[in-house]
Amino acid sequence: MPVITMDGPKLSLEQKAELVKAFTKIAAEVTKIPEKSFIVLIEERERDNVGVGGVLLSQMQK
Amino acid sequence: MPVITMDGPKLSLEQKAELVKAFTKIAAEVTKIPEKSFIVLIEERERDNVGVGGVLLSQMQK
Amino acid sequence: MPVITMDGPKLSLEQKAELVKAFTKIAAEVTKIPEKSFIVLIEERERDNVGVGGVLLSQMQK
Amino acid sequence: MPVITMDGPKLSLEQKAELVKAFTKIAAEVTKIPEKSFIVLIEERERDNVGVGGVLLSQMQK
Amino acid sequence: MPVITMDGPKLSLEQKAELVKAFTKIAAEVTKIPEKSFIVLIEERERDNVGVGGVLLSQMQK
Amino acid sequence: MPVITMDGPKLSLEQKAELVKAFTKIAAEVTKIPEKSFIVLIEERERDNVGVGGVLLSQMQK
C-alpha cells in the first residue's frame, strides 16, 4: 500500500482529482502494484510557510 | 523520543485525547521507552485532499 | 485510508507486528473506520540521526 | 517548490528514474509550475515495516 | 535539494522569515550545499493536535 | 514539542551533531520554546532516491 504525498500550492478540486488519478496510474504502471492499493495525500501549503533559498515564497521579489 | 503521526479524518477533541493516550500507552509498552518521551502529531486531512485507488474520497460513489 | 507513522528505535519483528496490530485496532475503534483501511509505516531511525534538546541520542550522557 | 514523496516498495534504478520523470511532468502540467521546481523523494520501505489492516505485509497470507 | 521541515506552534510572519533564513544559512554551512538549493516547510499545528506523554498540549495542566 | 526534520545527503557524525545543536538553538530563540523540547530527525537520502526537475540526482550531468 504505497503512499504518495504532494506538498505544494493551493489547488482546485479539478486539479486534485487530476493529480490523484494520474499519479496513481503512473505509479501502478511502474511498480506493477494494482491502482486500488495506492493512497495519495495532498498538502496545500501557504506561501508564508515555504522557504526557498532562505526566503519565504510570499516575500520573494517578482 | 519517538514521534507517532496519524494522518486521517476530522476528529473531535475527545477522539484526539483518546488516540493520543492509547497510542502512547501501547507504544511505550511495546518499545520499553517511557510514555513521557512520546510525541503524537494528528493531521486532519480534508476528503478533497485524499485519493484512494486514483479517486478522491470526496468523489467516491457511496 | 488513514496512515499512521511511527518514527522510533530499531524494533524486532515481533514488536513491529504487535505495534501494527494494536495501533490499527485502537484507531479503528476511536474513528469508526474499518481496520482494513489503515496503513501503518514504521521508520527505524539510528540514534546518530535523532537529536533531543540539541544533542544526538548517541552522544547523550547515560 | 513542491515536494512529492513516494513511500513504497524497493525499486530498480530504472523504475526510480521513470517515476521521477513522470510525476514531475504531470505535476508541472496540472499546477502550471515549471518542472525544474519539483523535488521528488523516494522512500523504499521494507515489507516488515508496513502494516495494512493490522498485519505486516511480510506476514500476510498469499 | 534538501528539505527541512519544522512542525511546531503558530508563528508570526517575522518568526517564519527568521527561521527560514537561519535554518538555510546553517544547513548550507554544515553541508556545503548552496543556500539556493534548500527548501523549508513550516507546519503550524494546533495544540489540540499534539500529544506529549499521552496528553494533548491543549489539556495539560499549567 | 516541535519536531524538525532534515531530509538531505549523507552526513558525518560531526555534521549531524552540529546541525542538531544549531537548529535547536535557533528554533528555541525564535519560538521562545525551551531547547529541551525540540526533537530533530535526520533523514539521509541516497542520490538515487531524489529527483530534481524530473531527473535523479545520481544521473545529473556534472
Side-chain angles (χ1 to χ4, degrees):
Chain A
M1 303 290 274
V3 180
I4 300 166
T5 305
M6 163 132 163
D7 193 302
K10 299 283 172 189
L11 298 171
S12 68
L13 190 59
E14 288 68 28
Q15 287 175 309
K16 293 175 189 177
E18 200 177 336
L19 268 182
V20 162
K21 187 175 172 185
F23 277 173
T24 303
K25 184 166 181 292
I26 283 166
E29 284 172 6
V30 173
T31 62
K32 315 297 182 200
I33 293 172
E35 286 200 15
K36 69 179 165 55
S37 296
F38 282 85
I39 295 182
V40 181
L41 305 176
I42 297 171
E43 179 69 37
E44 298 174 279
R45 198 169 297 282
E46 298 282 351
R47 293 168 64 80
D48 283 355
N49 288 12
V50 181
V52 179
V55 181
L56 295 179
L57 283 188
S58 61
Q59 298 186 330
M60 283 189 177
Q61 302 291 344
K62 299 304 168 63
Chain B
M1 303 290 274
V3 180
I4 301 167
T5 306
M6 163 131 163
D7 193 302
K10 298 284 170 187
L11 298 171
S12 69
L13 190 59
E14 288 69 27
Q15 287 176 308
K16 293 175 189 178
E18 200 178 337
L19 268 182
V20 162
K21 186 176 173 184
F23 278 172
T24 302
K25 184 166 181 293
I26 283 166
E29 285 172 5
V30 173
T31 61
K32 315 297 182 201
I33 293 172
E35 286 201 14
K36 69 177 165 56
S37 296
F38 283 86
I39 295 182
V40 181
L41 305 176
I42 298 172
E43 179 69 38
E44 298 173 280
R45 199 169 296 281
E46 299 281 351
R47 293 168 64 78
D48 283 355
N49 288 11
V50 182
V52 179
V55 181
L56 294 178
L57 282 189
S58 60
Q59 297 187 330
M60 284 189 177
Q61 301 290 342
K62 300 302 166 64
Chain C
M1 303 290 274
V3 180
I4 301 166
T5 306
M6 164 134 162
D7 193 301
K10 298 284 170 187
L11 298 171
S12 69
L13 189 61
E14 288 69 29
Q15 287 175 308
K16 293 176 189 178
E18 200 178 336
L19 268 182
V20 162
K21 187 177 174 183
F23 277 174
T24 302
K25 184 166 182 292
I26 281 167
E29 285 172 6
V30 173
T31 61
K32 315 297 183 201
I33 293 172
E35 286 199 16
K36 68 179 167 53
S37 296
F38 282 84
I39 295 182
V40 181
L41 305 176
I42 297 171
E43 179 69 38
E44 298 173 279
R45 199 169 297 280
E46 298 282 351
R47 293 167 65 81
D48 283 354
N49 287 12
V50 181
V52 179
V55 181
L56 295 178
L57 283 189
S58 60
Q59 297 187 329
M60 284 189 176
Q61 302 290 343
K62 298 303 166 66
Chain D
M1 303 291 272
V3 180
I4 300 166
T5 306
M6 164 135 162
D7 193 303
K10 298 284 172 187
L11 298 171
S12 69
L13 189 61
E14 287 69 27
Q15 287 175 308
K16 293 176 189 178
E18 199 178 337
L19 268 182
V20 162
K21 187 177 174 184
F23 277 174
T24 301
K25 184 166 181 291
I26 281 167
E29 285 172 6
V30 173
T31 61
K32 317 295 183 201
I33 293 171
E35 286 200 16
K36 68 180 166 54
S37 296
F38 283 84
I39 295 182
V40 180
L41 305 176
I42 297 171
E43 179 70 38
E44 298 174 279
R45 199 169 297 282
E46 298 282 349
R47 293 168 64 82
D48 283 354
N49 287 12
V50 181
V52 179
V55 181
L56 294 178
L57 282 189
S58 60
Q59 297 186 331
M60 284 190 176
Q61 301 291 343
K62 299 303 166 65
Chain E
M1 302 291 275
V3 180
I4 300 167
T5 305
M6 163 133 162
D7 193 302
K10 299 283 171 187
L11 298 171
S12 70
L13 190 60
E14 288 68 29
Q15 287 175 308
K16 292 175 190 178
E18 200 178 337
L19 268 182
V20 162
K21 187 176 173 184
F23 277 174
T24 302
K25 184 166 181 291
I26 283 166
E29 285 172 5
V30 174
T31 62
K32 314 297 182 202
I33 293 172
E35 287 201 16
K36 68 178 166 54
S37 296
F38 282 85
I39 294 181
V40 181
L41 306 176
I42 298 172
E43 179 69 38
E44 298 173 280
R45 200 169 295 282
E46 299 282 350
R47 293 168 65 80
D48 284 355
N49 288 11
V50 181
V52 179
V55 181
L56 295 178
L57 282 189
S58 60
Q59 297 187 330
M60 284 190 177
Q61 301 291 342
K62 298 303 166 64
Chain F
M1 305 290 273
V3 180
I4 300 166
T5 306
M6 164 133 161
D7 192 303
K10 299 283 170 187
L11 299 170
S12 70
L13 189 60
E14 288 68 29
Q15 287 176 308
K16 294 176 190 178
E18 199 178 338
L19 268 183
V20 161
K21 187 176 174 185
F23 277 173
T24 301
K25 184 164 181 294
I26 282 167
E29 284 172 6
V30 173
T31 62
K32 315 298 184 200
I33 294 172
E35 286 200 16
K36 68 179 166 54
S37 297
F38 283 84
I39 294 181
V40 181
L41 305 176
I42 297 171
E43 179 70 36
E44 298 173 279
R45 198 169 298 282
E46 298 282 350
R47 294 169 63 81
D48 283 354
N49 288 12
V50 181
V52 179
V55 181
L56 295 179
L57 283 189
S58 59
Q59 298 187 329
M60 284 188 177
Q61 302 290 343
K62 299 304 165 64

